[in-house]
Amino acid sequence: MRALLVANGLEDAVEVCSAGLGDWHVGETADHRSIAELAARGYDADRHRARQFDPTWFAHHDLIVAMDRTHLRALQGMAPRDQQDKVSLLMSYAGDDADVPDPYYGGADGFAHALDMIEQGCRGLLATVHQRLSA
């Protein structure tokens, strides 16, 4: 998403954060297969470190985007009632209700497929961001 924002001159207008729901990988780098797939597509994951989602972020962020419905439901359960509409599924921005699969227990091709989906969802998300910034 950051690369799309930079390519569209929006890097100063939009903040992008990434976090997991659990704390078991906090401070760690991404899986080596993920880093390799990202690098193959020109993305730099060197500075990325895992962190845990903090429910206080609902008050400070306009959108909370989940990769799959399990995370979507968990985030909706954490969100205050007046913040529920901030939570969405990434692929909904691509006109799809699919979950981005977790490729961790599979082969390298699973990382490529997940990144394909993430890129597609982010392109749709960018269109939403453009609309919100223009409003």
Side-chain angles (χ1 to χ4, degrees):
M1 188 65 195
R2 286 186 187 102
L4 285 173
L5 293 169
V6 169
N8 286 272
L10 297 173
E11 67 273 16
D12 293 330
V14 179
E15 177 185 0
V16 176
C17 301
S18 174
L21 293 179
D23 65 355
W24 48 90
H25 293 292
V26 169
E28 295 178 14
T29 61
D31 183 282
H32 70 278
R33 296 165 295 176
S34 182
I35 292 171
E37 187 61 38
L38 289 164
R41 296 194 196 189
Y43 301 113
D44 181 6
D46 286 344
R47 294 183 304 156
H48 178 81
R49 296 293 179 271
R51 62 184 179 160
Q52 186 175 13
F53 181 80
D54 183 337
T56 64
W57 296 348
F58 284 107
H60 306 289
H61 295 282
D62 297 319
L63 293 171
I64 309 293
V65 180
M67 294 292 142
D68 64 40
R69 282 188 285 286
T70 300
H71 293 127
L72 179 72
R73 285 188 297 274
L75 288 163
Q76 288 169 330
M78 288 183 223
R81 284 187 187 252
D82 65 336
Q83 307 286 315
Q84 291 282 319
D85 61 337
K86 291 183 176 184
V87 183
S88 56
L89 187 65
L90 177 64
M91 292 308 293
S92 69
Y93 296 100
D96 196 342
D97 69 346
D99 290 344
V100 175
D102 182 350
Y104 187 78
Y105 294 104
D109 60 333
F111 286 84
H113 176 67
L115 188 51
D116 288 342
M117 293 180 75
I118 291 167
E119 288 176 329
Q120 180 184 10
C122 285
R123 286 189 298 272
L125 178 55
L126 178 65
T128 297
V129 167
H130 268 296
Q131 289 174 346
R132 289 187 177 204
L133 292 174
S134 299

